[in-house]
Amino acid sequence: SQKIEQNSEALNIQEGKTATLTCNYTNYSPAYLQWYRQDPGRGPVFLLLIRENEKEKRKERLKVTFDTTLKQSLFHITASQPADSATYLCALEGNTDKLIFGTGTRLQVFP
Amino acid sequence: GAVVSQHPSRVICKSGTSVKIECRSLDFQATTMFWYRQFPKKSLMLMATSNEGSKATYEQGVEKDKFLINHASLTLSTLTVTSAHPEDSSFYICSAIDRGWKDEQYFGPGTRLTVT
């Protein structure tokens, strides 16, 4: 069956450290994968998109990798700040533009 | 960046009544809009895909007569929850894409529906 799993439901790290979130999928062959941030009671906000032919993509303190052999994406936030605390969702393209979302990882950055 | 709005942000209704939720793309034309449902501490579940000028495509298990979707223009899609029941209480989120630009979906802020 098709699955998208994010490694942990919650992740607590200290300010200044690098947060690493994992997204694994099975029985999909997505053309691209996306990462979103969601704050409580709000809709998701797009962060990064990485295509199947790209290994890595960066945006300011964010870095995403995409390994289609391992069927895994890693999402890194360097020099994390308390303001980075939120739920992070990975999503991959199923078919006909539909996005399939992972379960999310709730990141808490402590000062 | 592109902005998607939803109205209302919160609504409380009585069991048996119908509720309409609007999703608007404010600065772009959305050829496709999506409706999602999210339960507390759970991920987004796609309910249906709405294409302008055509019937919505519903995901398996979603009752089309219960959740009526209309995409009358390139900037507006509506979701009507008919004969609402307490189990319909949830967070409903829409998103929109502009095929002329990117594969990125722009999400609305969500609507919290509570059925009493």
Side-chain angles (χ1 to χ4, degrees):
Chain A
S1 62
Q2 295 177 315
K3 276 188 196 177
I4 305 173
E5 293 178 316
Q6 293 187 239
N7 59 326
S8 55
E9 192 175 317
L11 179 65
N12 299 320
I13 64 166
Q14 192 173 22
E15 183 177 12
K17 302 290 185 184
T18 296
T20 298
L21 285 65
T22 304
C23 178
N24 295 292
Y25 59 93
T26 54
N27 294 321
Y28 283 108
S29 296
Y32 55 83
L33 187 146
Q34 302 183 20
W35 284 88
Y36 287 82
R37 169 182 172 142
Q38 186 176 25
D39 290 286
R42 306 293 295 173
V45 174
F46 172 81
L47 296 175
L48 280 167
L49 179 153
I50 186 165
R51 299 189 184 279
E52 59 179 339
N53 61 347
E54 297 175 313
K55 296 289 186 189
E56 180 181 299
K57 186 152 283 184
R58 293 175 184 259
K59 179 182 175 182
E60 298 173 353
R61 294 184 294 112
L62 309 180
K63 184 178 87 171
V64 172
T65 63
F66 192 11
D67 189 325
T68 55
T69 301
L70 290 178
K71 295 187 182 294
Q72 181 182 79
S73 175
L74 298 179
F75 176 79
H76 307 272
I77 305 175
T78 58
S80 58
Q81 304 165 1
D84 295 326
S85 299
T87 295
Y88 291 86
L89 301 163
C90 70
L92 54 81
E93 170 257 354
N95 52 55
T96 62
D97 300 321
K98 291 194 288 190
L99 279 182
I100 313 299
F101 280 86
T103 48
T105 295
R106 194 169 60 255
L107 175 67
Q108 185 74 45
V109 181
F110 291 97
Chain B
V3 178
V4 174
S5 70
Q6 277 184 246
H7 178 79
S9 57
R10 290 177 179 272
V11 58
I12 301 172
C13 71
K14 291 188 177 179
S15 189
T17 61
S18 295
V19 174
K20 181 185 283 188
I21 302 170
E22 291 185 350
C23 177
R24 291 182 186 274
S25 57
L26 298 185
D27 51 3
F28 67 100
Q29 293 186 326
T31 51
T32 303
M33 288 183 169
F34 300 91
W35 286 96
Y36 296 84
R37 183 174 181 176
Q38 187 176 34
F39 291 103
K41 296 187 179 181
K42 298 292 184 185
S43 193
L44 283 75
M45 287 178 48
L46 180 64
M47 298 174 65
T49 303
S50 170
N51 293 299
E52 188 266 337
S54 64
K55 289 185 179 180
T57 304
Y58 290 82
E59 294 300 300
Q60 193 173 10
V62 178
E63 298 175 60
K64 62 180 181 180
D65 295 329
K66 171 80 171 168
F67 299 99
L68 300 179
I69 292 172
N70 184 279
H71 194 156
S73 75
L74 284 171
T75 59
L76 174 64
S77 177
T78 60
L79 168 68
T80 302
V81 183
T82 62
S83 188
H85 290 285
E87 56 265 30
D88 298 325
S89 299
S90 191
F91 192 50
Y92 292 88
I93 308 173
C94 72
S95 71
I97 56 174
D98 178 354
R99 297 306 285 139
W101 292 97
K102 306 176 183 178
D103 299 311
E104 183 179 326
Q105 285 192 27
Y106 303 100
F107 282 81
T111 296
R112 172 74 59 194
L113 170 64
T114 303
V115 184
T116 60

